[in-house]
Amino acid sequence: MLDIKEQSDFYEASCIVRIEEGLHARPCMGVVNLLQDYPNEFYVAKEIDGQRDEYVDGKSVTELLLLKATQDSKLYFFFNRHPKEVKIEQVREILVGLERLMNNKYA
């Protein structure tokens, strides 16, 4: 299970992409499908040289593909907590799915 950092306006988690081909269309579509019921904004950033790079809309396949995340890239996930209040349990459920996707398990 990925660790969640609780901030006042968002939840944050990170994981490593273990997919040999990197973050290609199929796992990106899986991410978007996982987030379809999440009521607030969701962003993803890739770590480059120890810094978080540009943030993209995690509910967009196209924007996720623009990250060009290769195998062993570190991704950060940001779940906005507002305008609709979100419980950490909902975020944990999504993170279980995200972790499976990043480990090349699409089923």
Side-chain angles (χ1 to χ4, degrees), residues 46-53 74 76:
K46 182 175 79 172
E47 184 176 280
I48 296 178
D49 298 326
Q51 300 292 319
R52 294 175 193 163
D53 196 30
K74 185 171 187 176
Y76 293 90

Side-chain angles (χ1 to χ4, degrees), residues 41-60:
E41 294 175 327
F42 170 73
Y43 295 97
V44 180
K46 182 175 79 172
E47 184 176 280
I48 296 178
D49 298 326
Q51 300 292 319
R52 294 175 193 163
D53 196 30
E54 181 179 347
Y55 294 73
V56 300
D57 180 354
K59 293 182 177 184
S60 165

Side-chain angles (χ1 to χ4, degrees), residues 45-88:
K46 182 175 79 172
E47 184 176 280
I48 296 178
D49 298 326
Q51 300 292 319
R52 294 175 193 163
D53 196 30
E54 181 179 347
Y55 294 73
V56 300
D57 180 354
K59 293 182 177 184
S60 165
V61 172
T62 305
E63 289 197 29
L64 288 169
L65 287 169
L66 289 174
L67 286 173
K68 297 180 182 173
T70 58
Q71 185 178 29
D72 297 326
S73 293
K74 185 171 187 176
L75 298 180
Y76 293 90
F77 305 113
F78 300 91
F79 299 81
N80 278 1
R81 295 175 70 174
H82 305 287
K84 185 172 180 185
E85 189 60 36
V86 176
K87 296 188 185 302
I88 197 164

Side-chain angles (χ1 to χ4, degrees), residues 1 8 11 22-24 28 30 32 34 41-42 44-45 48-50 64 70-71 74 82 91-92 94 100 106:
M1 170 67 83
S8 61
Y11 296 111
L23 197 59
H24 55 86
C28 287
V32 170
L34 274 173
E41 294 175 327
F42 170 73
V44 180
I48 296 178
D49 298 326
L64 288 169
T70 58
Q71 185 178 29
K74 185 171 187 176
H82 305 287
V91 173
R92 279 194 180 107
I94 294 168
R100 286 182 56 79
Y106 306 114

